[in-house]
Amino acid sequence: MAQYDFRQVERRWQERWQHDGTFTAADAPDARKKYYTLVMLPYPSGDLHVGHAKNYTLGDAVSRMSRMLGYDVINPMGWDAFGLPAENAAIQRGVDPASWTRANIDNMRRQVRLMGTSYDSTREIATCDPEYYRWNQWLFLRLYERGLAYKRQAPVNWCPQDQTVLANEQVIDGTCWRCGHAVERRNLSQWFLKITDFADRLLADLDGLPGWPERTKTAQRNWIGRSEGVQFSLAVEGADVHIAVFTTRVDTIFGVTFLAVAPEHPAVTAIKAIVSSERAAQIDAFAQSLSSKSELERTSLMEKQGLFTGAFAIHPLSHERIPIWVTNYVLADYGTGAVMGVPAHDQRDFEFAHKHGLAVAQTIAPQGAEIDGPLDAAFLDDGHLIASDDFTGMSSARAREGIAERLMAMGVGSKTVNYKLRDWLVSRQRYWGTPIPIVYCERDGEVPVPDDQLPVLLPPDVPITGEGSPLARDPAFVNTTCPKCGGPARRESDTMDTFFESSWYYLRYLDPHNDRAPWAADKAARWMNVDQYIGGAEHAVLHLLYSRFFYKFFHDRGWVTGRDEPFERLFHQGMLLRNGAKMSKSSANVIGIDETAETNGVDAMRLFLLYATPPEDTMEWSDEGISGRVRMINRIWRACEPHLENNLSQAIPLRELPPMADAREQALIRAVHVAAKSAIDETASRRFHYNATIAKFDEYVNALTALTRERPDSAAVRYAARALPLTIAPFAPHIAEELWSRMGHAGSVHLERYLEVDDRALAQDEITLVVQVNGKVRARMALPTGTGQIEALAAALAHAGLRQHLEGKEVRKQIFIPDKLLNLVVG
RNA sequence: GGGAUGGUGGUGGAACAGGCAGACACAGCAGACUUAAAAUCUGCAGCUCGAAAGGGCGUCCGGGUUCGACCCCCGGCCAUCCCACCA
């Protein structure tokens, strides 16, 4: 008996699939329904580990399964190749980011193939290719034309030690991830994308995505943060300025005892002009002390601080004088940058008022109750209004309407919707990204690079030191001529956030070599939308929100048709841990693909990754666990081996069930169809709990192994052996292909139709009827399928084991579930 | 503080629709084969009382609904993740 040589077999079929283009998707449609499976494209960091493998194995199984179920499948793959790690490698090791990235892509492509991934390699893309980022720039210009890309001054995270800007995710508890130095805020001129224009659609259309996890939709809803309220303004006493505030609780307006503004608020300048010079100096000092503090520090870590400006605002309804304070906890860029302070009905305001000795005026009382003494915390619920002029006595809900109308009639207020979502900052002072295609001319100002001059190429050989923007220091890149007037001009030296590339890559896969457009509309119409998207939950509000924004823009421009959502169904993978930590080089807990494939084989690795937990769960890697799947592969081989080359003439068509000689053969045939049914159901339901499917295959293989020993030539055994490569193909593709081929088939098993589940095979002649007495299981009886209640009761009464539970008692009630259960209530 | 998800043997997990709890596997124990080991095969295995037959308990805890609850409802505990001075 020859040992199964997985190394040789796996390598041979991987080369064959690549050579034959087995998984190439044709652009010409056929009679089948299209199916677009997509996994989030990886960053080429160097080496794939089994954590990556967990993600790609699921996508690959879904893709292969869908193809075998009769869909016209497209399953592309690419590289999210721009980003900071390449620059860090450049700084630390002096390598060129481009060469470093290319080498990583080459290595990881090898590893993706080593995993036996069934992706269409003719559609592979790398976002750092000029042929790709050219279209980034083109899309940026289309956004620019519509006013959706714009430049403005904005505060960013800045590390004074490393002399560089940091992304939000690189700020760990207010410090720089690399050097640990406290991060500051700096005002820099930055490019933004106006995602806020789409806030209402991005929110509303979540309701039309039943194929998305609820938690992801909730996360996006929270992030967009829509709130309805009223905006109104208060005049500043003695100055010609008004301060607008936004509130969701306008019913508490008579409880306002102070006005809190952000130190950056524009009205602060006017206020400084009307107060004493000492006050003005104090305000400046207060603003200065906060200017470099990060938002996290100001809002979450620091105590509530404030300074009375010396100025007053006039309450629009009561005409009382309201002291104006500058505070650390009011954010300049949410709402209007100013808040009405209602200590009695807002906990933040309550704490602030207590600390600074401000008045607390209760204007809402619990429904049906009166106030009983001073508050020891803000009263946040709705109720009825007290001490509120002619609104006194109204319910909160009615007062919100009435007060809003009064303010509108007075011309000082309006109903408003506010969003937490802010415009997307896409500028990065980094080298390894897409250059922003804008030049600055002394005469013409900000000028977009014309389409026919794209791409603006990223220059090679730029020194990267980790200090400041590398492109800004490259005169050959920065100095250019104005496309409009031909005069001297300066190129934008910022590059784009890498999330720009990943917001539309799924469209480029559909037309990867197009040099006239990012994609052709007919290709998009052929394949979009993505039927099943698979990736980590960490992108719930980043990539997945940006992509929806882009797709809506594309849809509005008519570049894509159908619905304006890119991803029909979304599935979040669980993480893979080892020793309780996420696999990473820094944790030194990485299990590499190459080593695992070499020692255990790729099929065993794939089976283990699918088998160990449901795919959405966090998984702990286990060196022992994979050995069980190695055994399974070997059992599959031994079970099928007697049915290889010699038995070709005895091939049994899989659609024809062999006659079943006895209960054991029936059980074997049943195991075949139970496993196949599980694979089909888990795919169709999009639950993808292939862990349960593979357990069914264990039972199938165990039954086959046992019966093969006794009667290797029975029709049932031959049928079950020949069905095995076909049914296990999506999960263990290499051994399946090898067995299929050795059984005499010419084509690839992966292009075959999956086994059709036959109800006759699933049916059983005999079932186990559970007999309960007063709800407790007291006996199990083997009975013919379809036994009626009367016969079942008779059998139960005759059952020796039940006598002690029934003797001398009256059966008062029977519950009978056919072929399952008989519950006798006695007393 | 708010929200989401979850809590089942020594371990990973199964039970898809309220109907046999613990499938399948890992680790373990015993046996067969072997000079021996590996590999392979067979058997045992929730806890507990009992020699056995058989009984009692058992899906985080406490209640409830039901003939019957891992599953549904109420209250609590714990864990993980997300959001969090958003006015």
Side-chain angles (χ1 to χ4, degrees):
Chain A
M1 192 191 275
Q3 186 66 35
Y4 174 57
D5 181 0
F6 64 80
R7 290 184 192 87
Q8 185 263 115
V9 168
E10 289 175 351
R11 196 182 55 244
R12 180 154 45 78
W13 286 112
Q14 284 157 14
E15 284 166 6
R16 181 71 180 275
W17 294 331
Q18 186 58 33
H19 175 268
D20 290 355
T22 307
F23 305 112
T24 304
D27 280 322
D30 57 31
R32 297 173 298 169
K33 268 180 83 175
K34 71 92 188 175
Y35 200 86
Y36 188 172
T37 58
L38 184 66
V39 293
M40 288 183 185
L41 86 175
Y43 178 80
S45 55
D47 268 297
L48 287 181
H49 53 67
V50 290
H52 299 104
K54 178 181 189 288
N55 296 335
Y56 306 139
T57 299
L58 179 70
D60 195 57
V62 172
S63 181
R64 287 175 186 270
M65 199 65 209
S66 302
R67 184 179 292 103
M68 293 185 78
L69 290 174
Y71 290 97
D72 182 12
V73 169
I74 186 168
N75 183 38
M77 183 114 195
W79 310 100
D80 187 17
F82 275 139
L84 202 57
E87 283 185 63
N88 288 337
I91 294 164
Q92 284 154 15
R93 281 174 264 166
V95 293
D96 165 42
S99 327
W100 183 82
T101 304
R102 295 280 164 209
N104 286 348
I105 289 176
D106 288 343
N107 183 50
M108 286 171 69
R109 180 189 300 113
R110 176 188 64 77
Q111 290 180 310
V112 164
R113 289 188 185 159
L114 174 73
M115 282 171 47
T117 314
S118 65
Y119 79 109
D120 180 349
S121 60
T122 66
R123 297 174 182 274
E124 187 182 312
I125 58 167
T127 58
C128 64
D129 283 341
E131 295 74 39
Y132 186 89
Y133 71 70
R134 168 190 179 179
W135 299 112
N136 257 1
Q137 294 170 341
W138 189 90
L139 290 168
F140 182 91
L141 293 170
R142 300 292 83 78
L143 289 159
Y144 181 79
E145 286 165 7
R146 298 279 160 142
L148 294 171
Y150 66 94
K151 198 174 192 187
R152 73 167 154 95
Q153 197 81 9
V156 293
N157 304 307
W158 176 264
C159 176
Q161 177 83 31
D162 286 357
Q163 290 284 298
T164 184
V165 158
L166 297 170
N168 281 338
E169 57 272 17
Q170 291 159 352
V171 181
I172 313 295
D173 291 336
T175 65
C176 171
W177 69 315
R178 282 176 58 199
C179 67
H181 198 284
V183 167
E184 297 179 354
R185 272 154 47 105
R186 280 217 171 170
N187 270 311
L188 292 173
S189 191
Q190 300 288 299
W191 283 95
F192 288 85
L193 300 187
K194 215 168 182 182
I195 190 172
T196 51
D197 267 15
F198 292 77
D200 51 347
R201 287 166 69 189
L202 288 168
L203 181 69
D205 294 349
L206 288 169
D207 295 335
L209 293 173
W212 278 43
E214 207 49 53
R215 65 184 166 127
T216 304
K217 290 189 281 186
T218 304
Q220 291 209 359
R221 286 187 190 108
N222 289 340
W223 190 262
I224 295 166
R226 183 182 200 272
S227 58
E228 281 180 31
V230 171
Q231 185 170 317
F232 65 92
S233 44
L234 301 87
V236 177
E237 188 181 64
D240 189 21
V241 282
H242 291 256
I243 296 176
V245 296
F246 172 77
T247 179
T248 55
R249 287 298 304 275
V250 77
D251 53 313
T252 66
I253 193 168
F254 287 93
V256 174
T257 59
F258 67 99
L259 189 63
V261 300
E264 297 88 351
H265 196 285
V268 171
T269 312
I271 287 170
K272 282 189 296 189
I274 60 163
V275 297
S276 70
S277 53
E278 300 102 279
R279 287 274 194 197
Q282 284 172 11
I283 295 170
D284 279 337
F286 183 75
Q288 192 56 42
S289 75
L290 294 173
S291 67
S292 66
K293 297 277 195 286
S294 68
E295 190 176 292
L296 175 84
E297 247 185 308
R298 285 170 65 158
T299 59
S300 299
L301 304 180
M302 289 173 75
E303 227 190 323
K304 283 181 185 51
Q305 292 181 356
L307 178 74
F308 176 47
T309 61
F312 292 87
I314 304 300
H315 193 290
L317 298 180
S318 72
H319 307 295
E320 281 170 18
R321 296 173 82 219
I322 309 292
I324 302 173
W325 287 65
V326 285
T327 72
N328 64 335
Y329 74 92
V330 175
L331 305 172
D333 57 353
Y334 176 76
T336 63
V339 177
M340 63 177 205
V342 186
H345 304 294
D346 182 286
Q347 191 56 31
R348 288 175 309 247
D349 297 344
F350 185 87
E351 288 165 23
F352 187 82
H354 265 253
K355 188 170 169 204
H356 295 101
L358 291 158
V360 178
Q362 183 166 1
T363 58
I364 309 285
Q367 205 61 258
E370 291 309 313
I371 43 173
D372 48 353
L375 294 165
D376 49 12
F379 176 71
L380 304 176
D381 294 340
D382 276 8
H384 68 271
L385 275 66
I386 54 173
S388 296
D389 208 352
D390 48 339
F391 296 96
T392 299
M394 270 191 195
S395 71
S396 289
R398 273 191 59 210
R400 277 195 286 271
E401 285 303 312
I403 293 171
E405 273 159 31
R406 177 79 58 87
L407 292 168
M408 285 192 281
M410 292 167 64
V412 296
S414 59
K415 289 186 181 174
T416 322
V417 173
N418 247 306
Y419 295 96
K420 279 198 264 186
L421 183 70
R422 298 179 201 177
D423 279 342
W424 173 13
L425 194 163
V426 288
S427 302
R428 293 292 180 269
Q429 290 70 50
R430 294 177 185 160
Y431 166 73
W432 192 233
T434 303
I436 292 174
I438 297 287
V439 302
Y440 303 99
C441 170
E442 286 164 25
R443 236 189 57 182
D444 296 311
E446 195 176 278
V447 180
V449 174
D451 288 356
D452 61 11
Q453 291 177 28
L454 299 182
V456 176
L457 285 170
L458 199 57
D461 305 323
V462 173
I464 297 166
T465 60
E467 286 184 27
S469 165
L471 288 178
R473 284 194 315 263
D474 183 7
F477 176 81
V478 170
N479 298 324
T480 185
T481 53
C482 172
K484 256 190 193 165
C485 69
R490 197 170 49 77
R491 270 193 203 285
E492 170 64 69
S493 59
D494 283 355
T495 55
M496 297 181 198
D497 181 3
T498 59
F499 280 108
F500 195 107
E501 287 98 81
S502 56
S503 294
W504 67 280
Y505 75 103
Y506 47 90
L507 285 157
R508 186 65 180 173
Y509 283 146
L510 308 180
D511 201 4
H513 310 296
N514 193 332
D515 59 2
R516 296 184 314 280
W519 65 87
D522 63 316
K523 300 272 175 69
R526 157 95 166 99
W527 291 111
M528 286 302 284
N529 300 348
V530 173
D531 292 278
Q532 185 65 58
Y533 198 16
I534 297 174
E538 65 274 16
H539 290 295
V541 290
L542 291 166
H543 162 62
L544 290 166
L545 190 64
Y546 298 149
S547 295
R548 295 182 59 225
F549 158 45
F550 268 40
Y551 202 75
K552 287 179 191 302
F553 173 68
F554 302 155
H555 191 271
D556 292 351
R557 300 298 305 265
W559 302 336
V560 294
T561 50
R563 65 184 299 193
D564 60 349
E565 285 287 338
F567 312 128
E568 212 51 49
R569 279 176 291 267
L570 173 67
F571 190 91
H572 288 312
Q573 290 276 356
M575 282 190 306
L576 181 70
L577 306 181
R578 181 146 178 266
N579 306 328
K582 192 171 177 179
M583 271 193 200
S584 69
K585 277 179 201 164
S586 54
S587 309
N589 61 352
V590 170
I591 300 283
I593 296 269
D594 293 334
E595 302 88 296
T596 308
E598 178 61 24
T599 45
N600 303 290
V602 171
D603 283 337
M605 176 185 77
R606 293 172 57 116
L607 285 173
F608 175 66
L609 291 169
L610 292 170
Y611 177 74
T613 57
E616 67 274 21
D617 285 8
T618 301
M619 180 193 296
E620 177 73 22
W621 177 261
S622 152
D623 289 316
E624 294 83 30
I626 195 171
S627 64
R629 296 304 101 193
V630 173
R631 272 172 230 156
M632 183 187 190
I633 291 291
N634 290 329
R635 277 199 302 270
I636 290 170
W637 183 259
R638 283 194 299 271
C640 290
E641 204 179 26
H643 309 279
L644 301 181
E645 288 92 348
N646 307 331
N647 296 47
L648 293 186
S649 59
Q650 295 173 345
I652 303 156
L654 289 171
R655 277 169 230 285
E656 277 175 38
L657 286 176
M660 295 170 253
D662 60 12
R664 293 192 63 201
E665 293 197 356
Q666 185 187 39
L668 173 61
I669 300 290
R670 185 161 188 278
V672 174
H673 284 255
V674 164
K677 182 169 166 24
S678 173
I680 293 166
D681 289 349
E682 291 300 337
T683 306
S685 68
R686 333 245 168 235
R687 240 167 52 111
F688 308 133
H689 283 199
Y690 295 133
N691 54 321
T693 300
I694 292 167
K696 302 276 192 265
F697 272 100
D698 271 327
E699 297 188 52
Y700 170 5
V701 174
N702 289 343
L704 176 60
T705 302
L707 219 53
T708 297
R709 247 193 322 275
E710 292 172 36
R711 34 181 126 154
D713 294 324
S714 89
V717 166
R718 287 206 308 275
Y719 174 89
R722 299 188 72 86
L724 189 49
L726 184 74
T727 49
I728 201 125
F731 313 109
H734 306 85
I735 192 171
E737 193 79 297
E738 178 72 6
L739 291 168
W740 188 253
S741 155
R742 293 246 212 143
M743 286 176 180
H745 301 89
S748 169
V749 70
H750 302 292
L751 301 178
E752 288 292 320
R753 280 301 289 265
Y754 205 69
L755 182 72
E756 237 169 80
V757 173
D758 195 315
D759 287 340
R760 286 174 302 158
L762 295 174
Q764 297 178 98
D765 295 341
E766 193 172 76
I767 51 88
T768 302
L769 191 81
V770 172
V771 184
Q772 295 182 336
V773 178
N774 290 340
K776 284 188 185 269
V777 177
R778 295 299 183 188
R780 295 180 177 85
M781 306 187 300
L783 293 173
T785 303
T787 301
Q789 184 169 354
I790 292 161
E791 293 83 359
L793 179 64
L797 294 174
H799 195 278
L802 285 169
R803 199 161 299 147
Q804 59 169 309
H805 297 107
L806 297 175
E807 214 149 55
K809 288 170 184 158
E810 181 196 352
V811 177
R812 291 191 184 156
K813 190 171 175 184
Q814 307 174 35
I815 290 96
F816 182 65
I817 313 290
D819 295 340
K820 272 197 175 150
L821 174 131
L822 176 67
N823 187 8
L824 302 175
V825 183
V826 302

